[in-house]
Every structure is written in C-alpha cells, then in structure tokens.
Amino acid sequence: MAFSFRRLVIGVLLSNIAGGVLFVVLPLMVLRRDSGPLLATLIIVAPLLAQTLASFGWGALSDHLGRRREIMVAGAIGAAVLYLFFPLASPTVLLLLRTLQAALLATSTLVYALTSEGTTGTVGSRLGNMMMWGNVGQLIGVLAVFPLLTLTTLDSTLGWELVGVLSGATALSAFFLATAGDLPRARAEVSLGTVLQFRRQRPVAFLSLATFPLAVGNYAAYTTLPVYLNDGLGKGGFFGMPLSPVQQLGLFTIATTIIAIPYCLWAGDLVEGVFARRLALVLTPLLYAGFWLAYTLSTSYLVFFVVWAIPLYPLLSIAATRELSDLTAPGERGRGIGLWTAVYTLGGLVGGVLAGLALEAGESYQLVFLQATVLAASGALTYGLVIARTLRFRFRDPADRADAHPPT
C-alpha cells in the first residue's frame, strides 16, 4: 500500500484527542476521591514508567521488522479498549490501567521515526508539521469535551460520555493509521547485544542522557500545577469566573495548545539548520528554568496562566528528533528516537514521584518549583556539554562531514 502522509496525519490527530483531556481530568478526579497529592501526581507520571520501556522497545521492534505502521495500529486498538474500563476502576486500578495504556500508546513514538523517513520537504518541516497536527488533535479533544468537565467522577453519566469520545477517537485513529501505508525500509538485525549500538554511538547516547535532569525538573512542575490549582491557586475561579479546577486546567491546556499549533511549524523550519537546532537544545532548558523560577517567586494567577501558555516542549522535541535523524541510519532510527524519549519519560517519572512525595510531606509548592528551576538549569548545562564535547556547534573535520548524511 502506497504511503499517505495525509492519512498518517489524520491518525495522529485523532490519537492525540485524548492527551490534553487526560491531563486535565485524571489528577483532579483522583483528588476528588480524597486520594491525596501523591496519587494525583502518580496518575500523570506512573504511565511514564511504561513509556520509558515501551518507547524504546517499540522502536527496536520496528527496526527489526522493518515495519512501523502495524505496531502503531495495534497500540491504538488496545488503548481504545482500555478506555472503556476507566469508569469501573478505583483510583489505584485506574492508575494501573492508565499505565498499561501508556505502554500501548508509546507506539506513537514511531510516528516521528516514520515522518523523518518521508520523501517530501525537509525533515524539520515534516516533524514540525506532524507535531502541529498532534496539537490540533489535542485542542479539538479539550474543546469537544469541555462541557463534560463539570463531571465529578468518571462513573457518572458524563464520565461514560467522556470515555466514549476518547475510545471512539482512538479506535478511529487506528483505522487511518492502518490505511496510511508504509515506507519501504530494510530490516535490521537487532539482538539484545546490538540493541543499543548505533552508527554514531557516543552522540546518540549522550544526547539522550543529557535530557534527564531537564525532564525531572519539568515533570516536577507539570504534576504540581493541578494540585496547586485544586488546593489554592484556583479557589477564586478563572480570573474571577466561577469555574471548577478541572475546567480551569482545561483552559490552561487550550491556551498553550492554540499557541503551539503555529509554533510547531516555526520550530520545524528553524531546526533544519545545524547551529540553530543545537542552540535550541541549550536555550530551551534555560527558558524552562526561567518559567519555573517565575512560579517560585509569584503566586499570581495571571503569571501562572501566561507562563503555562508558552509552549517550549515542541522546540526541544523537534530539535532532538531532527538531530537524531542525522545521527542514526534508517535501520537505527526507531531505537535512536525511542532512546531519547525513554530517557525523557524516565526523568519525568522521577520528577513526578519526587514532587508527589514532597507535597505529601507538606513541602510548599514554591519549594517544589524552585527545585524544578535548578534541575532545568542543570539540563542546559548537560546539553551544552554534549554539544561542546561530542556534537559541536559546527562540523569541524572531514569525519563529521561524512557522518552528517543527507536526510532520508
């Protein structure tokens, strides 16, 4: 079947409908069941443990089989089925179901490997375009279910309607992914002994490891915001409008997603330049550090809303993926991108757990945000060291030029 980028985009759009909705609903549903801040943060980050293992595992499997589309279809179908059990689950069982679902949805990492292998336009513009449509799907999802965000529990009528929408959209995404076709590629001999071997070993490994402290800090902040909204920041409503914390978090998500849509296209074009994307990898963690410092120093609702609305992750992710598309051969790309994603999600797991434990022990929100600031700044340092010592801002010798193969 001939490859259709349009059908792949539609599949990604539909599969992303649930992403923003779950970030808004699940942690605050857990808090309403009096399960405490630790479980509220774990419902966001525990699935990252599954993603840490699965994103790399799916990448390795797709490299070995020489096929990516079928794996993505299977993941979407399994995730769609699991949504139907959400209203029946206690908070602890819901956490387990969501973790299993995250392992299946980690197949979405393959979308970016597949996108980098396309044949039209530059790699950066294709990656930016794909991430843009993912954000469009997330925006559609939050807007579509916003009237349902007055729900009190998932086992209510509104809760069943919500999971029905999420399950249906995810199942429909499987259909479009199944009919999108695939690009021809050779199978790679991948074994336990070679699964972490790459054409440019050190740059791939170090670029992935460099993102760990940033991810720890980011998820410490990401997972703290819903709890803070519920316990204090959102008590006065959304700029005086009497909206629930769930609806307020929905508006936070809507704002950042609207801005991310054109931002992704800009980022995709920007990172096509070697110097620009490597500079972006250093500056993005510094900007994150500035964001979390603003959260540390302020209790203003306006400051929290404006800072949250500015998207940074698309630039970081697109820049890293674009770099990895140059550092890896086609038969390694699923694993290379999967490794970076795995390290980022592992850092997210650690950050969310640490934040949850700190809040459970009575630590202040501002202190958690301060810790996130320090960790994000450390991420700028680790990326800077990798680029200075391993990648370099410019190619300086013939060996580097030979390795910088044109996009495939």
Side-chain angles (χ1 to χ4, degrees), residues 91-109:
T92 302
V93 174
L94 179 62
L95 174 63
L96 296 175
L97 289 175
R98 179 63 185 139
T99 302
L100 175 59
Q101 186 186 59
L104 295 172
L105 290 175
T107 56
S108 62
T109 302

Side-chain angles (χ1 to χ4, degrees), residues 217-279:
N218 283 353
Y219 272 89
Y222 290 158
T223 55
T224 297
L225 179 66
V227 183
Y228 189 26
L229 263 176
N230 186 75
D231 288 351
L233 184 65
K235 293 296 186 183
F238 183 73
F239 296 106
M241 296 173 60
L243 299 180
S244 71
V246 180
Q247 292 171 315
Q248 291 178 56
L249 195 54
L251 291 174
F252 272 63
T253 303
I254 288 170
T256 191
T257 307
I258 288 174
I259 297 173
I261 290 170
Y263 176 84
C264 287
L265 294 178
W266 169 80
D269 290 335
L270 177 72
V271 303
E272 196 58 31
V274 175
F275 181 84
R277 69 171 171 262
R278 294 178 181 177
L279 186 62

Side-chain angles (χ1 to χ4, degrees), residues 4-326:
S4 169
F5 187 74
R6 180 176 299 177
R7 284 184 170 268
L8 180 66
V9 162
I10 295 173
V12 169
L13 185 153
L14 289 166
S15 66
N16 275 271
I17 281 178
V21 176
L22 294 180
F23 176 75
V24 171
V25 171
L26 293 185
L28 296 177
M29 287 300 98
V30 166
L31 285 171
R32 288 185 178 184
R33 298 282 289 271
D34 296 323
S35 297
L38 178 58
L39 194 56
T41 56
L42 286 178
I43 202 74
I44 297 175
V45 299
L48 296 177
L49 176 60
Q51 286 180 297
T52 298
L53 302 173
S55 57
F56 182 73
W58 295 131
L61 181 62
S62 72
D63 286 342
H64 179 69
L65 297 177
R67 312 178 76 87
R68 308 206 196 281
R69 178 176 55 91
E70 290 86 345
I71 298 173
M72 291 188 290
V73 171
I77 293 172
V81 172
L82 287 179
Y83 277 122
L84 302 178
F85 293 94
F86 279 20
L88 305 174
S90 66
T92 302
V93 174
L94 179 62
L95 174 63
L96 296 175
L97 289 175
R98 179 63 185 139
T99 302
L100 175 59
Q101 186 186 59
L104 295 172
L105 290 175
T107 56
S108 62
T109 302
L110 302 180
V111 167
Y112 296 100
L114 187 57
T115 301
S116 73
E117 297 164 343
T119 56
T120 59
T122 64
V123 176
S125 65
R126 290 198 303 271
L127 290 169
N129 192 285
M130 183 60 71
M131 186 166 285
M132 179 203 73
W133 285 109
N135 277 279
V136 169
Q138 181 169 301
L139 177 62
I140 291 172
V142 180
L143 289 174
V145 305
F146 195 81
L148 305 179
L149 296 185
T150 57
L151 78 173
T152 55
T153 60
L154 283 177
D155 58 357
S156 64
T157 301
L158 291 180
W160 277 104
E161 291 177 3
L162 176 65
V163 298
V165 170
L166 301 184
S167 179
T170 307
L172 192 57
S173 77
F175 168 78
F176 280 97
L177 293 173
T179 57
D182 208 342
L183 292 167
R185 68 180 61 80
R187 293 181 57 180
E189 291 300 325
V190 180
S191 65
L192 288 178
T194 63
V195 70
L196 287 173
Q197 292 181 6
F198 301 96
R199 185 174 62 92
R200 296 196 66 185
Q201 184 70 29
R202 291 182 64 203
V204 172
F206 289 168
L207 184 67
S208 299
L209 292 174
T211 202
F212 183 78
L214 173 63
V216 175
N218 283 353
Y219 272 89
Y222 290 158
T223 55
T224 297
L225 179 66
V227 183
Y228 189 26
L229 263 176
N230 186 75
D231 288 351
L233 184 65
K235 293 296 186 183
F238 183 73
F239 296 106
M241 296 173 60
L243 299 180
S244 71
V246 180
Q247 292 171 315
Q248 291 178 56
L249 195 54
L251 291 174
F252 272 63
T253 303
I254 288 170
T256 191
T257 307
I258 288 174
I259 297 173
I261 290 170
Y263 176 84
C264 287
L265 294 178
W266 169 80
D269 290 335
L270 177 72
V271 303
E272 196 58 31
V274 175
F275 181 84
R277 69 171 171 262
R278 294 178 181 177
L279 186 62
L281 288 172
V282 177
L283 291 182
T284 304
L286 286 177
L287 291 172
Y288 269 122
F291 284 8
W292 308 144
L293 181 61
Y295 279 11
T296 303
L297 300 176
S298 177
T299 57
S300 165
Y301 194 97
L302 177 62
V303 169
F304 273 77
F305 180 76
V306 170
V307 167
W308 195 266
I310 302 173
L312 288 180
Y313 181 74
L315 180 59
L316 175 73
S317 177
I318 294 171
T321 303
R322 179 64 186 89
E323 188 67 44
L324 288 164
S325 74
D326 265 1

